[in-house]
Amino acid sequence: MHRLLPLVLALAACGHDHGPPHVRKMDRPDGSPALRGGGTARSPRIANYKIDVRLDAVRHQLAATETLTWTNTGASAVDKLPFHLYLNAFKNESSLFMRSSRGEMRGAKASDSAWGWITVDSLQIAGVELASKLKLVAPPDETVAELPLATPIAPGQTVDINFKFSAQLPEVFARTGYKGEFNMVGQWFPKIGVRTGPPGLEQWQCAALSANTEFFADFGVYDVKITVPSTYTVAATGVLTQASESPGGTRTFDYHAEDVHDFAWAADPFFNTRSQDVTVDGGPPVHVKVYFRNEQLDFALRHLQAGVGAIEKFSADFVPYPWSQMTIIDPPIDAAAGAGGMEYPTLVTTEGDSVFIRPGMKFPEYVTVHEVGHNWFQGILASNEPEEAWMDEGINEWADAHVMTDLYGARTSGIDQYGFQADIVALRNTIVDDPSSLPQPIATAAYAFLDTTAYAETTYDYTMRAMLTLEHEVGSAKFMAAMKAYAKAFAFKHPTGADLFATLSHELGDDFSWFFGPAFQQVGGAKYKIHSTACRQAHDIRGVVADGTGKKTRTETEAPDTGTWVCEVVVENTGPVHVPVDVELRFADDSTQRMHWDDKGNGTFERFTVEHSTKLAAVRIDPDNLEMIDSPLHHAYRVDGEGAASLRAGARIASWAQTLMQLVGP
Amino acid sequence: MARKSGSLDLRLTLGDLVSSGSRALTRYTGTLLTVFVVQSLVAIATMLACAVVLATVFSHLPMWDEAVDGDLVSLVTCLRFAKLNLVACAGIGFGALLLWQLASWFLVGGVYGVLAQRPEGRAETARTFGASGTATYLAYARLALCSIPGYLVVLFVFATCTNAVAGRIEHALTVGDLVVPALVMIVPAAILIHLLWTVSDYARVELTLRHDSHDPSSVMTYLRACGFVLRRPLALIHASLGWLAFAAITIGYVYLAAGHPMYGAEGAVTLFVIRSGVSLARMALRFAVLAGQVDLGGTRPPPPRRVEIKADAKPQ
């Protein structure tokens, strides 16, 4: 026994053994243009980057040069250039990100020794060294630095800005960093802000990185050369145009991407790949490739199928996927919490790989569909995420629900395992707080939310529910067509919430201000409930009544019960969001009758009175489950209470208790 | 049979212990059923109390019916809504468990007494049951206190092993990845708790057998039982057979019941009958194991007799 124990403990401690890294077979160029089918620019291409970066795989450091070619497309001159230096979010505890996240993101914790940073070693414009002129915008946070310009950049003028920078990747806990030999490199280079606003009144949008904010940048062309040890495989945004051996046992991979607003990449010595082509709108295929480690093969194939299906469905529902390549990275299992579940143009990271996630549980597929979906709402439409995160996250959630249903079935898109079935939307709604309890409206800037929970539940879930409710109100086909029109009109144009509402109103032929305002700009959601029910025997009017020219008293004998029942039901909605709903009454003889409450905010309650041969047995608000904002728990009411289900539940609890009793007792 | 130092040198085998159990079941079925009825009454009281607590919040809400019938979304929605009621039900269950623990000291004392003294007839059996249960109640209570340090060690071992393999379990991708860490997490604590439970059982046997003649102290009885169980592996093997059979019956019931929901009043009655049958089978197993333990415990040399010195005793 004493010899067995150390062996068992050693076995328990062993991880997945990949052996030592070895020199990989050289990747071949993708051979396809960055844009599917080639063609002209889809976007204004305001910010174009040429970057040459070398990864020190031992110290997880980057050394790079960058040329940013930026054009002033506004009507006013520019006298300063702000740059995101996102990696400084991980520099120390004084950064806005570390303060607002408290060093934690989605369950992954920051290392207390493996910090990250980025340093601009040189910044030149027209050969003049200007690095010393860079000023932090909001110290002690160092994620945004501004360069004042001695000579403003006139409207229409283009400027080349040359950087030399070095960076340290943190141990990954919030999207970017390393874990072991795996490196996920996102938001890693000096990135210029975005100018928005009416012509002549443009302002810079260059928000510091906080726990809840994501990213906003201009479209452009990216040419990135990545040099890594020869034992490493690289996955990156765009298409691989060249791969070559470089001195010192390294390789250089040249990537090219067009009409994208970001560039991310990963490097790992143990990646394998699987790929599949998917045809979109009858044109050249999209090449979908998943990167994974050996032990994750089964899950990688699930992610690949989900990615292929998602590209097909999103392309059909909105606009065709414009690029040639989609890269899906399935991070190593010990890096998944930090690096998984993030989107970049043409590249996503996924997660959900676990023995506890059985094949019938669609969580891994859901993550992949969600991240791929971002390529439409963040990648193509590209709203200002710090200001209007819901336009990406929330609308994506709504779209994901459709794609998951199309791919995995209406009742089984969330789970179909161990006898349990549930669609993904219903499952999500059960685990988040009721929208009526959320402290801030949907249209809140990401950085202004009370905390991460409020941000996540409002931006993701509540937005999805609001969109679904409106869709059910107007009809799915009509709503999908309206959203398709919105996507086509605003592809590559950074639409705002106002643009979305205006498009929907136009396409749906109704103002909908009675819905948009309360749902997106107020707190409180909807609170539908059956206020009261009452039934009495029907009879002619009793009491003093007119009798010809005089009066008489009509008694019970003269106005006997007719045998039918007059039932009154009062339903209420005390929340600010109002949606027309049906109310179904069920009677003791099992017959039903439907009423309609045209609830558009013109009152908080509605009274229905009906006469029926039997008493009222139950009431159901929204029997077709069209209204998604409210929890459905109080939408149904049984007039006479019934304890059978509670007794069955009590019996089950007692059975468990008896099992425990038999463990502790005789 | 040889006698050694006042003890019987009976080398019982596993087969002897199992036979002893089946004989006890046929001979003292009434005793078994009595204990089972008491336990069932506690369970029924738990059921009714929980039903009332749940009905106060759910009787008018049809979604609860769907939840109880197995709809996952309805179940989670209802549970989130009625967290406090669920906590109340958990409290009721815990209270039932505590009540049973306290009652079981009397009941198991009575069972050991009947199995040891082998009374004839209902009246004699009832008298023996009551007398034995009463006589050993406080001794069993003291014994339970003695065993607490052991259970703390079990918790410590479990926590330590879990900590050692938590990362591996969290990152497991296949069932194969999970097997060794799960075993490391569970097996040491399981072995230890099995040992402690068996020690408690044999300590109780000794307290029952020797209470009148030797009045042994609970602490010394517990320590002697530790030594006995460690020296006589048959005790552990016999007890583990009982637990394995217990687990097999439970798992078998869960497996057969899965995917076969029983709706309505007829279903509820059928389910009640089936669950009662499963509980009775498990209790019968325990009863049989206790009988074997009484026989094996009876082969142990008695504890040192307590000497009482009286002030007016005359020297011989």
Side-chain angles (χ1 to χ4, degrees), chain A residues 392 510 625 632:
Chain A
D392 175 28
D510 188 339
N625 292 321

Side-chain angles (χ1 to χ4, degrees), chain B residues 1 6 37 88 92 141 158 169 174 176 224 229 249 289-290:
Chain B
M1 289 177 229
V37 165
I92 291 167
F158 182 71
I169 289 174
T174 62
R224 278 168 45 83
V229 166
I249 291 174
V289 168
L290 295 181

